[in-house]
Amino acid sequence: MDLIRLETGLHYEIEHQNMSHGYKNSTTGKWAGLIAELIEERADLVVGGLTITAEREKVVDFTAPFMNIGIGILLRKPDRRSSTAWKLVLLPFSAEVWLYTAAAFLATAVTIALLTRITSRTQDKLDRQTRTPRSVRLAKGLLCFFSLVVVIFYTASLGSFLSADQTDGVARPIVFSRTR
C-alpha cells in the first residue's frame, strides 16, 4: 500500500470496519452502514461485497462489478433412457392434452356422422350421390383445421422435447447484470 502512495502521490487511510453493507431505514428514511459512510462524507470510497440495487444507485455511484455471483436453480433431470418408445412419443403433451384432443376428435367424428345421417334423409337419392351437404363439408373442414393445429403443436413440442436431451450436461448460472 505504501508503494501505491509513493507512486500516485495520494494520501489516504485504509480503515477496516465491520458494519452492514447499507440499508435504508424505512421509518426514518436514513441510510445505515457503508452507504451512510459515503452519503455523510465520512468515507470517499468503499470497497466490499455490495449488491447493486436500484435504491442504492439513487444515492451512490457504483463502478462496474468485478465479480458476479448468481443464484442458481437446480432441477433433477428425468431419466428418459428407461422410457419405452410409446412413452417417448406421448411425453411432449400432458395426459390432459391427450385426453382433450381425443375427446375433440371423437366429438367431431360423431357430429359429422350425425350431420351426414340427418342431411341424407332430407335430400333425394340422386343429389346425395353427387353432393355433400354444406354442414358436413364445414364440419370436415373444421376437423382438418383442428388436426393441422394439433400436428403443428405436437411437432413443435416434440422438437423442443428432444433437443432438451442434447444439452452437454453442464449447468450454467443465470446471471442478472446491468450494463451502462
Side-chain angles (χ1 to χ4, degrees):
M1 297 310 260
D2 290 331
L3 184 60
I4 295 174
R5 186 178 304 186
L6 290 173
E7 289 285 326
T8 60
L10 294 174
H11 298 285
Y12 57 87
E13 282 182 42
I14 296 178
E15 187 177 315
H16 181 331
Q17 295 187 357
N18 192 11
M19 62 174 55
S20 71
H21 294 286
Y23 64 92
K24 188 174 185 179
N25 189 327
S26 59
T27 56
T28 63
K30 292 193 172 203
W31 284 88
L34 296 175
I35 303 292
E37 296 290 314
L38 286 170
I39 292 173
E40 296 169 7
E41 297 182 1
R42 292 190 297 259
D44 295 320
L45 176 73
V46 170
V47 176
L50 287 166
T51 303
I52 300 172
T53 64
E55 190 175 32
R56 288 178 179 167
E57 275 192 316
K58 290 178 185 175
V59 293
V60 295
D61 286 331
F62 286 91
T63 63
F66 60 89
M67 179 173 44
N68 287 319
I69 299 175
I71 297 173
I73 299 173
L74 301 176
L75 299 174
R76 181 176 44 87
K77 188 174 182 179
D79 185 18
R80 294 193 183 117
R81 287 174 286 172
S82 62
S83 298
T84 63
W86 281 109
K87 264 188 167 180
L88 289 176
V89 169
L90 297 176
L91 279 177
F93 283 164
S94 66
E96 293 86 14
V97 172
W98 284 116
L99 182 68
Y100 292 139
T101 303
F105 273 113
L106 184 64
T108 307
V110 168
T111 303
I112 290 173
L114 288 175
L115 285 173
T116 304
R117 176 159 275 220
I118 291 169
T119 55
S120 67
R121 290 184 182 164
T122 60
Q123 293 180 342
D124 56 52
K125 292 187 181 202
L126 290 175
D127 193 26
R128 189 178 63 192
Q129 292 173 358
T130 59
R131 268 184 56 152
T132 305
R134 184 178 296 164
S135 57
V136 174
R137 282 185 287 158
L138 179 65
K140 286 180 180 178
L142 289 175
L143 178 64
C144 289
F145 178 74
F146 177 70
S147 300
L148 181 67
V149 169
V150 169
V151 167
I152 289 170
F153 278 111
Y154 179 79
T155 305
S157 297
L158 183 64
S160 67
F161 178 77
L162 292 176
S163 68
D165 276 348
Q166 295 176 357
T167 59
D168 57 4
V170 177
R172 291 178 181 80
I174 299 172
V175 177
F176 300 99
S177 63
R178 290 179 42 164
T179 57
R180 291 186 191 193

